[in-house]
Amino acid sequence: MKDILKSEKRFRYMMLDRMRQDCEHYLNYGGRSAKVLWAKDEKQHIQNMKDVWNSFDENDKPEWLTIEEIEQFEKRMIGE
């Protein structure tokens, strides 16, 4: 994960979108199986998403995914 956080902005955007897609798949078609998540663990996956999201400068935070949306995934996936 440390390498991802040090990566260029474009890669981090792509990684965050992949993680977002994993959440959608987990909730809709993946049978709520952690095997479909990049981190293979719900809590770790959400934490990784938060870490990547927070790695962007304020002006570079993605408009297509807010921290509130990540928190909604968290509630739906692990109830926190």
Side-chain angles (χ1 to χ4, degrees):
M1 191 64 203
K2 290 179 185 179
D3 290 339
I4 291 171
L5 296 176
K6 292 178 184 177
S7 297
E8 64 180 68
K9 181 171 54 174
R10 183 171 186 258
F11 179 77
R12 287 181 286 136
Y13 279 130
M14 290 188 298
M15 194 65 205
L16 186 58
D17 191 43
R18 186 261 164 98
M19 291 177 180
R20 181 196 59 78
Q21 291 176 45
D22 284 356
C23 290
E24 293 287 349
H25 185 72
Y26 172 93
L27 292 166
N28 296 307
Y29 307 105
R32 298 182 75 89
S33 171
K35 290 188 282 184
V36 303
L37 301 173
W38 180 80
K40 307 293 186 223
D41 175 84
E42 293 89 345
K43 287 186 178 190
Q44 188 60 55
H45 191 80
I46 295 295
Q47 186 58 55
N48 289 347
M49 288 180 75
K50 288 177 179 179
D51 291 344
V52 173
W53 194 88
N54 284 317
S55 74
F56 295 106
D57 291 332
E58 214 43 54
N59 294 336
D60 293 328
K61 299 230 187 266
E63 295 178 9
W64 45 266
L65 182 65
T66 65
I67 195 68
E68 292 81 14
E69 290 170 313
I70 295 171
E71 290 168 350
Q72 284 299 316
F73 281 128
E74 183 174 34
K75 286 178 186 172
R76 292 176 64 199
M77 292 168 66
I78 53 182
E80 293 183 12

